[in-house]
Amino acid sequence: MMNMMRHLLVSNRKVEGVLTLITENNWLAEGQRIFSSDDGFSRLIPLSPSADADLPKSLSDFEIIICEGKLDERVDTDWWNHLTELLGKEVVSKYQESWPSSHEFLGDMMVVRINDDIKSYTSEIAKAKLLSHPSIRLILSDGGVMGEFRIRELEVIGGRKEPTIYTEKIPSEIKSTKVLIKESGRYISCDPKVAYYSTKLQTERLETLSFAKELRAELDRPLSICDPFCGVGPALSTLIAEEDLVGDLLASDLNSAAVELLFENLQRWDKRDYPIESENLQRYYDDRIVGLADATKISLNPEYAGKWDLLLVNLPHRTVEFLPKLVPLLNRTNTSMIRGRVIVAESEIPLINQKINQILPPTATGKPRPELKIKRDYSSALRLCSFEAWIEKEN
Ligand SMILES: C[S@@+](CC[C@H](N)C(=O)[O-])C[C@H]1O[C@@H](n2cnc3c(N)ncnc32)[C@H](O)[C@@H]1O
């Protein structure tokens, strides 16, 4: 599975100084390695997802490249050693291709995917991972994203309560899956057991930020932004952090657990009060409409229709189906933009491009027509794609 991430491109002679600054700030991506550029004159330094979206002036001369990260095999040696100690060389080499050598960090939790053929070794996998990552509290196995709320089916398979590692009868006080994650310099509360959140979307969110800045430059004012599938709000975290970018905001989701976490996050990012529990979509401040709502029905409310310069559509398996009901949310008195994600078979991309162009109003003059760009594999046959559509103002 591809792991696209930010890398800082630094000429070889400057690497040492830059690396000192990056490590002092804790911005080096854990478990990834620094590698040479194609021309051999520079190094690509992998940045942690928690590193600020805008790096400080001292680093701003260096280009940021979004490309696939390379695993630091040395970090992994530990986990293989522990696994081999627990199971013996024979078993480890028998299932060589199946062991979960990659994993995702969510705060002090680690998420791994365990193939069916090695399910019977789940506790040994959990133990080996905990032994090789001393700062990890909880290990969860990921059964994939399910249902309308796109929640991951997560099972706690191991935990640490110093000085003990548990793979069964895990004490309830260490089993909480609610965590605070630092992404692009901002804290996000999330609980992947009850609401969708993925660290893998960070680079997507940074791309959205750069499109939003482009749209702001065209409109010459802060944007009205609508994120009707916002989950716990990670896309908004990056946008709100940018000064004078977000004017009015509508943020909603169909999952009440996500809305509860969204309120907690907005309270932190906006420094204003929001309810503690989920509430139906409503206006809380002159520039904030937040709450529980079915995205396909929001434009039926005249107060919310025709108001938004930037519309985010992040429900990739239903984006195309929902688009007709979302378009009326756009503010057509000026250029506007939709940024969406779609899951599709590679062979169907031309057809879906055609469909999207049919559904959407005309493309803004001088801008490219919306087109799916493959971001990564979703499964062997399906691709996760994104698109941006610049929409012409209505005469
Ligand atoms: C793939 S997640 C994306 C969440 C968030 N934008 C993010 O990047 O983390 C899709 C979200 O859409 C929500 N959802 C599904 N159907 C919906 C609907 N009809 N109206 C509003 N939200 C919906 C789910 O609960 C889920 O939080």
Side-chain angles (χ1 to χ4, degrees):
M1 194 61 84
M2 285 211 293
N3 179 21
M4 303 298 275
M5 56 193 302
R6 289 183 296 166
H7 292 78
L8 204 63
L9 183 70
V10 182
S11 57
N12 290 341
R13 64 193 169 80
K14 292 195 174 162
V15 166
E16 206 179 319
V18 169
L19 204 52
T20 311
L21 194 64
I22 286 183
T23 22
E24 270 170 13
N25 283 287
N26 242 337
W27 288 336
L28 197 63
E30 194 173 343
Q32 303 289 320
R33 69 180 167 84
I34 299 168
F35 55 96
S36 180
S37 61
D38 287 346
D39 62 13
F41 295 130
S42 308
R43 295 286 160 116
L44 285 117
I45 303 178
L47 293 177
S48 156
S50 68
D52 294 13
D54 290 320
L55 295 178
K57 275 218 166 63
S58 49
L59 295 178
S60 59
D61 283 349
F62 301 103
E63 197 183 340
I64 288 191
I65 310 264
I66 292 178
C67 62
E68 195 174 351
K70 295 192 196 292
L71 269 186
D72 186 348
E73 309 289 349
R74 286 166 314 172
V75 173
D76 244 31
T77 1
D78 255 11
W79 124 265
W80 287 115
N81 288 343
H82 290 300
L83 193 69
T84 311
E85 213 158 280
L86 292 165
L87 290 172
K89 269 192 186 143
E90 218 171 290
V91 175
V92 173
S93 63
K94 183 170 172 197
Y95 299 101
Q96 193 62 40
E97 298 304 310
S98 295
W99 302 111
S101 50
S102 65
H103 41 245
E104 180 182 356
F105 292 108
L106 285 169
D108 62 354
M109 306 190 297
M110 179 192 273
V111 180
V112 290
R113 271 179 181 264
I114 301 186
N115 288 353
D116 285 345
D117 57 342
I118 49 167
K119 279 250 153 64
S120 56
Y121 302 114
T122 298
S123 14
E124 286 82 0
I125 294 170
K127 194 165 181 190
K129 291 280 183 191
L130 282 163
L131 285 168
S132 56
H133 292 86
S135 59
I136 291 298
R137 168 182 56 96
L138 213 58
I139 309 274
L140 303 149
S141 85
D142 186 353
V145 175
M146 314 292 253
E148 217 171 1
F149 296 161
R150 314 312 292 151
I151 301 172
R152 283 197 256 184
E153 205 171 67
L154 293 172
E155 189 195 340
V156 175
I157 58 169
R160 179 195 321 274
K161 189 176 172 216
E162 290 298 359
T164 312
I165 282 178
Y166 295 86
T167 55
E168 53 186 28
K169 295 201 180 111
I170 301 163
S172 54
E173 62 270 29
I174 58 163
K175 275 169 96 174
S176 166
T177 45
K178 186 176 169 193
V179 284
L180 197 60
I181 288 175
K182 196 173 183 197
E183 184 185 295
S184 306
R186 283 268 176 139
Y187 284 101
I188 303 171
S189 294
C190 69
D191 183 343
K193 243 185 159 177
V194 297
Y196 179 93
Y197 176 83
S198 171
T199 53
K200 294 195 184 119
L201 293 186
Q202 187 205 21
T203 51
E204 197 67 22
R205 299 193 253 274
L206 290 171
E207 273 180 26
T208 301
L209 171 66
S210 102
F211 284 120
K213 286 184 184 173
E214 231 180 286
L215 183 59
R216 172 179 60 181
E218 298 242 344
L219 303 184
D220 200 22
R221 57 164 173 76
L223 303 177
S224 298
I225 297 181
C226 179
D227 188 356
F229 305 94
C230 72
V232 305
L236 304 171
S237 147
T238 318
L239 297 170
I240 292 175
E242 174 73 22
E243 213 172 315
D244 294 330
L245 180 66
V246 182
D248 293 347
L249 174 70
L250 184 152
S252 59
D253 199 279
L254 196 58
N255 174 0
S256 56
V259 171
E260 203 170 300
L261 287 154
L262 170 71
F263 280 146
E264 186 176 322
N265 283 324
L266 280 176
Q267 182 133 354
R268 179 179 306 118
W269 306 327
D270 267 350
K271 298 184 182 62
R272 290 188 278 194
D273 288 339
Y274 286 93
I276 305 234
E277 284 176 4
S278 167
E279 298 277 352
N280 285 340
L281 186 66
Q282 57 194 279
R283 186 179 288 281
Y284 287 96
Y285 299 98
D286 274 357
D287 56 353
R288 294 291 183 266
I289 300 165
V290 190
L292 192 70
D294 179 343
T296 60
K297 305 214 168 100
I298 297 177
S299 67
L300 300 177
N301 183 335
E303 210 195 317
Y304 304 150
K307 295 270 164 42
W308 311 99
D309 306 315
L310 174 62
L311 173 64
L312 307 180
V313 186
N314 188 358
L315 187 64
H317 66 302
R318 301 191 76 180
T319 293
V320 179
E321 171 196 345
F322 282 178
L323 267 185
K325 292 193 168 136
L326 301 170
V327 169
L329 289 165
L330 291 173
N331 174 3
R332 300 290 315 283
T333 66
N334 50 241
T335 304
S336 54
M337 175 185 264
I338 300 182
R339 173 117 166 105
R341 288 158 52 74
V342 182
I343 292 171
V344 63
E346 198 161 344
S347 57
E348 292 208 352
I349 290 181
L351 185 75
I352 299 297
N353 278 336
Q354 219 177 12
K355 251 192 179 163
I356 292 176
N357 278 280
Q358 271 164 8
I359 296 169
L360 295 183
T363 304
T365 316
K367 298 290 184 191
R369 289 164 71 104
E371 194 176 39
L372 296 183
K373 295 182 189 88
I374 300 178
K375 290 307 177 75
R376 59 182 164 91
D377 294 349
Y378 186 76
S379 65
S380 55
L382 299 175
R383 304 288 167 261
L384 193 53
C385 304
S386 62
F387 71 90
E388 57 282 347
W390 291 85
I391 309 288
E392 182 73 327
K393 81 173 191 186
E394 207 164 33
N395 287 323

